[in-house]
Amino acid sequence: MSDSKQNVKVHVDKVNKSYGSNHVLRDISLDVNANEVVVMIGPSGSGKSTFLRMLNQLETQDTGTIVVDGFDVTDKKTDINKVRENIGMVFQNFNLFNNYTVIENITLAPTQLGKMDKAAAEKRAKELLNTVGLADKANVSVNSLSGGQKQRVAIARALAMNPDIMLFDEPTSALDPEMVGDVLDVMKNLAKSGMTMIIVTHEMGFAKQVADRVVFFESGKIQESGAPEQIFNAPKNARLQEFLSKVMQA
Amino acid sequence: MALPLAGGLLPSAQADSKPNYVITTDATYPPFDFQDKNNQYVGIDQDILKEIAKREGFTYTLKAMSFNAATQSVSSSQADGVIAGMSITDERKAVFDFSDPYYRSGIAWAVRQGSNIKSLDDLRGKTVALKTGTSGADYALSIKDKYGFKVTYFNDSETLYRDVINGNSDATFGDLPVLQYSIKNGTKLKVMNPKDPFNAGEYGFAVKKGANAKLLAAFNRGLASIKKDGTYNKIVNKYLDASASTFTGDQSNNDTTWGILKANKQAFIDGLMQTIALTVIGIFLASIWGIILGVMGISQSKLIRGISTTIIYIFRGLPMLVLAFFIYIGLPSFIGAKIPAFIAGIITLVLNEGAYTGAFVRGGFEAVDRGQMEAARSLGMPYNMSMRKVIMPQGIRIMVPSFVNQFIITLKDTSILSAIGILELTQTGTLIVARNSQGFRVWAIIAVIYLIVITLLTWLSNWVDKRINS
């Protein structure tokens, strides 16, 4: 499968998920190509975060197939840890390891998983901290950082594993407004560098500017997807129109 | 390894060629069994046993515990024989083989001096204090309904006498010579039937029915021998004619806290060491077991989680005393092997304290934010690595105060193990009070020793806490 579709990084086919009687994902299918930036928008509870977390199997599907980097992650025989090494994830609440310093947060996984020795990992960590503008914070406790700083460290931590794909789950939702810009700047640079990115966000301006494709989730379904100009300027789906009129007002 | 610890200051002469037996007694039973001012086990029973052992060429390790535990240790094969002023009754003959009788006794009843109770009829509606498992208790129960009194139970004689003297209960039933000896030594009770004891009966040395026939035969031969040459009479007279101070020490040793402390210095130190040994080994092993249970409790496998939950449920639910009796007295007859008291005590502590530790360890791990695990897993770190490197270090910080608390509880809980005859601080106190009747002073000393050790333990724990959570 991966041979014939070299360009497809993520292939999702008819995924369903229910929590009890609540059918949160209904027959979702989606392909994401290499170097593509896909932004998922939609009201709270529409299933977009659940869908994102399913790509690296933090959530499991009831039915359907998900192929990432040529590996069927829905197959129990697949070593999910190996696949995850290539999928970076950034969380709404940062989830930095509280028991480590900034640089230890970044070097922990590469050194523990035998990707790099300590010296190489620290060198790489410093480069990444430099990229996200936090070179001076290497040895401080993560608890002393602001939210925006924490999220930039979290991005550096994910990048330290040299992933092919980055997942962002509402990365700016927990931030004070003045912190949002720094984090979005880091993400824009990452997009420019050619990283394949799948982003759940409420930042419509950012979506317009960075996305190659925007996907609108509502009631567990992809209601509409397309280029940002099409989604924001000429929405066809009635629910998308309603959603946009609400968020643009705000 | 455990015996020297558990034995403490018990006589335990060891010789390769001679058989060695474990004999239990109840050392709160003067003049038959008690500790003298030098903390040696003495009394009519003990002197007879010692003399017979010498003549018959066997050695023994003596274990002092409550009367009930002493007899049950033999019936469960934890010990070979019991000598504890034990009346020969038909009921007991079903479980034990008795030696030839070595002392004639009977049941007497006593009230506090100055009491207006004159006859058994006056006991209607009153409370009678009894010692668990004794023939005095059996007799009282047999007439309980006829005279309409209530009963309350005690495990050692001294506390029982105190209860009657203080007026919490109104009378007691016990063996005549024991009551008389105690009264002679200052216990403010009055025997109501000194001339005509009920159920006049006899004391015997006992082994488990069908077991230790050699030991029983040796005891009988030795008994005949000491009766024949007058040694027996000498021993009995030595105790029944002597004044109290011969055995219990001078007034000055017992009347002041300082005197008690000085006279029993070695006993207190030995008891404290035993308490500390139980506490340290108990805390160490219970913490390991608790952490294992806690880690199992957050396992990905439902089965392993279930096992952990069940173990915690069972051992947190069982009273520690029940657990101690079950392991020390119940288990050996089931598995057919002896379990030394110290080992049984440690197992009890580990199972009980380990269950509590397991519960808060699991809680501590669960208290770590879910996102920490998700972040670690999203980087490709396997579950076990994520636990070890991310979740556990944070969970343990959360748990430190609970650990400190549990250490202190463990120290206090070691006192419960006095019930299976481990001569730790509390049992040491029981034996000293049985001899000198200075309950207030002795228990105050014991309480202060516990507080000092707990204070030191708290300081140590806080120091560790600071180092971990700095």
Side-chain angles (χ1 to χ4, degrees):
Chain A
M1 185 176 273
S2 58
D3 293 336
S4 59
K5 295 186 179 176
Q6 274 282 336
N7 214 27
V8 178
K9 276 284 176 190
V10 177
H11 171 73
V12 181
D13 189 32
K14 290 209 177 87
V15 159
N16 281 278
K17 172 84 175 177
S18 297
Y19 292 112
S21 62
N22 186 14
H23 201 164
V24 292
L25 291 178
R26 301 162 187 259
D27 275 336
I28 304 282
S29 296
L30 180 76
D31 279 5
V32 178
N33 294 324
N35 309 328
E36 195 179 11
V37 176
V38 173
V39 173
M40 301 196 286
I41 60 171
S44 298
S46 58
K48 54 196 192 304
S49 277
T50 305
F51 175 75
L52 188 78
R53 290 159 56 82
M54 217 170 253
L55 299 180
N56 67 352
Q57 293 291 293
L58 288 182
E59 303 280 352
T60 52
Q61 60 294 320
D62 298 336
T63 60
T65 311
I66 300 170
V67 179
V68 180
D69 257 350
F71 296 98
D72 181 355
V73 296
T74 56
D75 183 348
K76 286 223 158 38
K77 280 172 277 182
T78 304
D79 181 357
I80 189 65
N81 293 322
K82 280 282 160 216
V83 183
R84 281 174 178 160
E85 289 179 5
N86 284 322
I87 313 172
M89 184 154 194
V90 175
F91 300 86
Q92 180 176 352
N93 293 314
F94 332 126
N95 296 344
L96 291 182
F97 303 135
N98 296 317
N99 53 324
Y100 293 110
T101 62
V102 166
I103 195 160
E104 285 168 346
N105 261 272
I106 300 170
T107 58
L108 182 71
T111 53
Q112 287 297 322
L113 293 168
K115 298 283 150 192
M116 295 179 209
D117 63 24
K118 193 160 178 274
E122 284 183 354
K123 187 164 169 282
R124 172 84 176 124
K126 281 176 185 158
E127 287 167 16
L128 288 167
L129 282 174
N130 208 25
T131 315
V132 299
L134 292 171
D136 55 329
K137 298 286 186 188
N139 293 308
V140 307
S141 152
V142 295
N143 299 313
S144 67
L145 300 178
S146 71
Q149 291 170 331
K150 280 182 182 171
Q151 196 59 299
R152 285 183 280 154
V153 172
I155 294 171
R157 176 178 68 178
L159 291 173
M161 289 296 290
N162 291 323
D164 294 342
I165 305 165
M166 285 285 286
L167 310 179
F168 292 84
D169 188 5
E170 302 198 23
T172 57
S173 296
L175 298 181
D176 292 337
E178 72 269 25
M179 304 283 181
V180 172
D182 289 341
V183 172
L184 292 183
D185 284 346
V186 169
M187 291 171 66
K188 280 176 198 163
N189 287 334
L190 199 56
K192 266 184 220 155
S193 75
M195 176 66 73
T196 308
M197 295 163 73
I198 305 174
I199 303 163
V200 172
T201 188
H202 295 291
E203 298 287 337
M204 296 303 150
F206 173 80
K208 266 185 203 166
Q209 207 181 334
V210 178
D212 296 313
R213 185 152 45 116
V214 177
V215 176
F216 173 63
F217 270 74
E218 207 268 349
S219 302
K221 275 189 167 162
I222 296 179
Q223 304 282 359
E224 187 169 344
S225 79
E229 304 80 54
Q230 180 206 320
I231 294 291
F232 291 111
N233 300 336
K236 292 185 208 112
N237 181 280
R239 288 171 176 179
L240 174 57
Q241 290 164 358
E242 191 189 339
F243 173 74
L244 287 175
S245 71
K246 275 184 192 160
V247 293
M248 293 310 184
Q249 266 172 15
Chain B
M1 167 62 211
L3 272 179
L5 282 168
L9 40 84
L10 309 185
S12 79
Q14 299 278 351
D16 292 337
S17 54
K18 295 177 178 180
N20 184 59
Y21 299 105
V22 175
I23 311 282
T24 58
T25 191
D26 163 17
T28 69
Y29 205 59
F32 292 94
D33 307 277
F34 62 106
Q35 267 192 331
D36 70 3
K37 59 191 170 194
N38 302 316
N39 301 109
Q40 298 300 311
Y41 292 104
V42 295
I44 296 171
D45 285 358
Q46 297 308 318
D47 284 17
I48 289 174
L49 179 63
K50 200 182 285 174
E51 187 61 27
I52 290 174
K54 202 164 81 186
R55 293 190 186 191
E56 292 298 319
F58 65 85
T59 61
Y60 60 95
T61 305
L62 190 71
K63 303 249 176 183
M65 52 191 78
S66 75
F67 180 75
N68 224 9
T71 56
Q72 287 182 36
S73 295
V74 173
S75 60
S76 66
S77 300
Q78 280 281 60
D80 300 302
V82 51
I83 187 159
M86 185 177 178
S87 297
I88 302 170
T89 65
D90 287 340
E91 208 178 16
R92 286 177 179 156
K93 277 184 187 166
V95 185
F96 299 100
D97 286 334
F98 280 98
S99 69
D100 297 334
Y102 66 83
Y103 195 89
R104 266 192 77 78
S105 176
I107 309 294
W109 68 291
V111 297
R112 70 179 155 279
Q113 289 173 10
S115 166
N116 51 17
I117 293 171
K118 304 289 178 220
S119 72
L120 290 173
D121 292 322
D122 294 339
L123 288 176
R124 185 160 302 277
K126 299 281 202 288
T127 302
V128 168
L130 301 173
K131 189 163 171 181
T132 320
T134 57
S135 46
D138 287 347
Y139 180 77
L141 283 183
S142 73
I143 61 166
K144 173 173 171 270
D145 290 341
K146 184 175 165 198
Y147 292 101
F149 53 79
K150 293 174 292 216
V151 297
T152 175
Y153 287 99
F154 293 88
N155 271 322
D156 76 282
S157 305
E158 189 55 38
T159 313
L160 185 158
Y161 297 151
R162 276 282 135 213
D163 201 64
V164 179
I165 293 165
N166 292 341
N168 294 331
S169 48
D170 303 283
T172 183
F173 285 72
D175 289 358
L176 178 61
V178 175
L179 277 170
Q180 283 176 325
Y181 180 84
S182 184
I183 290 165
K184 197 168 95 183
N185 286 346
T187 302
K188 294 190 170 15
L189 293 178
K190 187 172 77 179
V191 174
M192 303 300 284
N193 58 337
K195 294 278 179 278
D196 51 348
F198 314 115
N199 274 8
E202 292 164 322
Y203 288 169
F205 167 78
V207 297
K208 187 185 179 182
K209 198 170 180 60
N212 278 312
K214 262 191 189 165
L215 172 60
L216 199 60
F219 188 92
N220 282 336
R221 274 196 310 274
L223 182 62
S225 153
I226 61 170
K227 274 189 168 166
K228 202 170 161 194
D229 70 4
T231 310
Y232 174 86
N233 282 335
K234 250 190 251 169
I235 290 173
V236 172
N237 291 336
K238 173 177 157 195
Y239 287 97
L240 293 188
D241 294 345
S243 82
S245 61
T246 313
F247 304 110
T248 59
D250 297 339
Q251 229 22 26
S252 64
N253 282 350
N254 291 327
D255 269 9
T256 65
T257 306
W258 179 243
I260 292 170
L261 210 49
K262 221 167 60 180
N264 299 288
K265 193 175 78 183
Q266 198 52 46
F268 282 128
I269 290 173
D270 290 339
L272 176 61
M273 285 307 147
Q274 191 73 355
T275 289
I276 289 174
L278 284 167
T279 305
V280 170
I281 299 173
I283 284 175
F284 180 73
L285 296 178
S287 296
I288 292 175
W289 177 230
I291 290 170
I292 291 172
L293 284 177
V295 172
M296 285 168 67
I298 48 162
S299 161
Q300 286 181 302
S301 150
K302 225 178 195 164
L303 177 72
I304 293 175
R305 278 204 310 275
I307 292 171
S308 163
T309 309
T310 309
I311 292 174
I312 289 172
Y313 175 79
I314 291 172
F315 291 105
R316 217 162 47 153
L318 279 181
M320 199 167 154
L321 191 57
V322 172
L323 188 59
F325 280 140
F326 178 76
I327 291 168
Y328 184 66
I329 293 168
L331 212 50
S333 44
F334 182 70
I335 60 173
K338 292 182 186 180
I339 305 174
F342 188 84
I343 301 292
I346 290 292
I347 294 173
T348 305
L349 280 177
V350 170
L351 290 177
N352 181 277
E353 315 292 342
Y356 283 97
T357 306
F360 72 69
V361 167
R362 183 180 61 194
F365 289 147
E366 282 170 352
V368 176
D369 181 36
R370 270 179 57 115
Q372 297 284 310
M373 177 58 100
E374 289 185 347
R377 297 307 306 275
S378 78
L379 290 162
M381 291 167 67
Y383 178 83
N384 288 338
M385 184 193 285
S386 308
M387 283 304 299
R388 221 173 51 242
K389 290 287 166 186
V390 178
I391 307 302
M392 288 187 181
Q394 297 185 48
I396 283 167
R397 288 181 183 196
I398 298 172
M399 294 164 207
V400 168
S402 304
F403 268 110
V404 173
N405 197 31
Q406 196 62 35
F407 292 168
I408 288 168
I409 291 171
T410 305
L411 171 62
K412 293 195 288 187
D413 279 354
T414 57
S415 66
I416 294 172
L417 301 174
S418 62
I420 57 170
I422 298 180
L423 196 47
E424 41 64 73
L425 207 45
T426 301
Q427 180 73 350
T428 302
T430 305
L431 294 182
I432 294 172
V433 173
R435 180 178 74 242
N436 70 8
S437 303
Q438 294 287 338
F440 179 78
R441 292 195 176 92
V442 173
W443 289 122
I445 291 170
I446 299 279
V448 168
I449 296 176
Y450 272 116
L451 283 176
I452 290 171
V453 178
I454 282 168
T455 305
L456 294 175
L457 186 63
T458 309
W459 283 349
L460 178 71
S461 303
N462 288 342
W463 180 75
V464 172
D465 185 8
K466 258 185 209 147
R467 296 209 39 162
I468 290 178
N469 276 336
S470 63

